[in-house]
Amino acid sequence: MSFSALGLCDELLKAVAEQGYTVASPIQVEAIPAVLSQRDVMAVAQTGTGKTAGFTLPVLQLLSVGLRAQPKGVRALIITPTRELAAQVAKSVKDYSQRMNVRSGAAFGGVRIEPQISQLADGLDVLVATPGRLIDLYNQQAINFAQLEILVLDEADRMLDLGFINDILHIQSLLPTKLQSLMFSATFTKDITSLAKGMLTNPLIIEVAAPNSTVDRVTQKIYAVDKARKSELLIHLIKKYDWRQALVFTRTKQGADSLVTQLEKAGISAASIHANRTQHARTLALDGFKSGNVKVLVATDIASRGIDVNQLPCVVNVDFPYVPEDYVHRIGRTGRAGNAGLAISLFSEDETKQLQAIERLIGRKLEREIIAAFAPTAKSSTNKANHNTAPHKKTSINTLDDDEYGNFEADPQPRNSRGKPQGRGKRASDATGHKRRY
């Protein structure tokens, strides 16, 4: 369906066309008219399906009428879990509203708060913010919500995963009781349902993909290898198949930095992105990757959502994530907007439980392969990798000669008995106990 059939104004249609979009995605077809009708909405769609435009476009149209924001006031508030996602959504707002008389801005941690206070002084029609920085701004009396008309929770499931539930509930207590509330999520869990019941009024439920499903266009491969040789195998794959770019995920911040050092020693341009890096360094790394100057971006799960790189050819899991849903979000960085994608995972024996959990989540076995030169030395690794725990037929491990092919932190965090991250009060903390500012 074309965007012109969704009730959007000419200014937005022109902006959408300039961004290169002609046909609306399923989530946009469902969400845009619903938001324009001023209904509360609970929308669920897998990553890479266009959720951002699904709420940004109709929100901008609703704000095109009515009173301008008063000093320190905000008319629409979009809350995101990470700095990178906040910056990306803010850019989308700016791009789509270029022909409209709309003032917008972003507020997140890791940078000085003074410029953010300054941009709020005259009021904003749209503010994109992370929870911690938003509360900081409120505590400094730099923002008030008396004029707030629309609230959007973007990547709500990630918000809960990162332990921001108390922040979200606190923010909700500061907002007017009468406003339009929108919640967008990649997964539909019991926790999300519970949050929606407390924040949305008679919401329209939109679900355009099966819960927790993987990206259909992404080819997923697993290479069994000894843990100590993962970096060596990664370098081999990058050089042999000359991937022009790859987004690589590690479980820890130290692991990300160590891998960057090894890649650079091998002559591969690389950069890391994680919470211990300054926001300026994170921005430079991401910009370098998007421009192509950096060939490999090594990230913890801070980048598993909100990082949108056009036609990213490959995602590599050097380490499997602790939470199986994060695997889906990681590989969703490739194969976006209808493009084909490739997701490679380097599997070692100690990750058997994580692999089994991922296979249960996605409902199928993942194809295992062994590159002859990097075959695991421990026979038990091969046997465990082939153990069939998912409710699907057994898949054998193939030995190849390696000629087929031509995006808070992932540090350990407190979890409850079901493996879910525990909340940490009004700020999420990393494994060292330090406060994180998103």
Side-chain angles (χ1 to χ4, degrees), residues 160-161 165 188-196 416 418 420:
L160 297 184
D161 287 345
I165 180 62
F188 208 166
T189 64
K190 291 182 179 179
D191 290 337
I192 288 296
T193 302
S194 177
L195 182 63
N416 60 27
R418 293 182 299 171
K420 295 292 184 180

Side-chain angles (χ1 to χ4, degrees), residues 257-285:
D257 289 338
S258 175
L259 184 55
V260 167
T261 299
Q262 295 176 68
L263 289 168
E264 290 181 333
K265 285 182 178 179
I268 300 170
S269 60
S272 65
I273 179 172
H274 54 71
N276 277 6
R277 304 207 68 194
T278 66
Q279 184 58 42
H280 179 66
R282 285 159 61 168
T283 300
L284 286 178

Side-chain angles (χ1 to χ4, degrees), residues 1 20 30 37 53 91 185 261 314 320 336 349 353 381 389 393 415:
M1 182 180 293
E30 297 289 337
S37 70
K91 183 179 184 302
S185 177
T261 299
C314 184
F320 280 105
R336 297 172 73 87
E349 179 182 1
K353 289 184 178 180
S381 176
T389 58
K393 70 178 182 178
R415 296 180 182 278

Side-chain angles (χ1 to χ4, degrees), residues 43-114:
V44 180
Q46 64 186 22
T47 187
T49 55
K51 292 193 297 292
T52 301
F55 63 77
T56 299
L57 293 171
V59 165
L60 288 171
Q61 181 150 323
L62 291 174
L63 294 176
S64 64
V65 297
L67 298 175
R68 295 297 304 273
Q70 300 300 308
K72 299 184 180 181
V74 174
R75 298 177 63 201
L77 175 62
I78 302 172
I79 303 178
T80 71
T82 67
R83 305 170 188 173
E84 281 72 24
L85 184 55
Q88 179 183 304
V89 173
K91 183 179 184 302
S92 294
V93 171
K94 185 176 181 180
D95 289 342
Y96 292 136
S97 65
Q98 55 188 308
R99 288 181 172 81
M100 308 175 76
N101 189 20
V102 171
R103 292 179 294 182
S104 63
F108 46 81
V111 295
R112 294 173 57 241
I113 196 172
E114 289 79 9

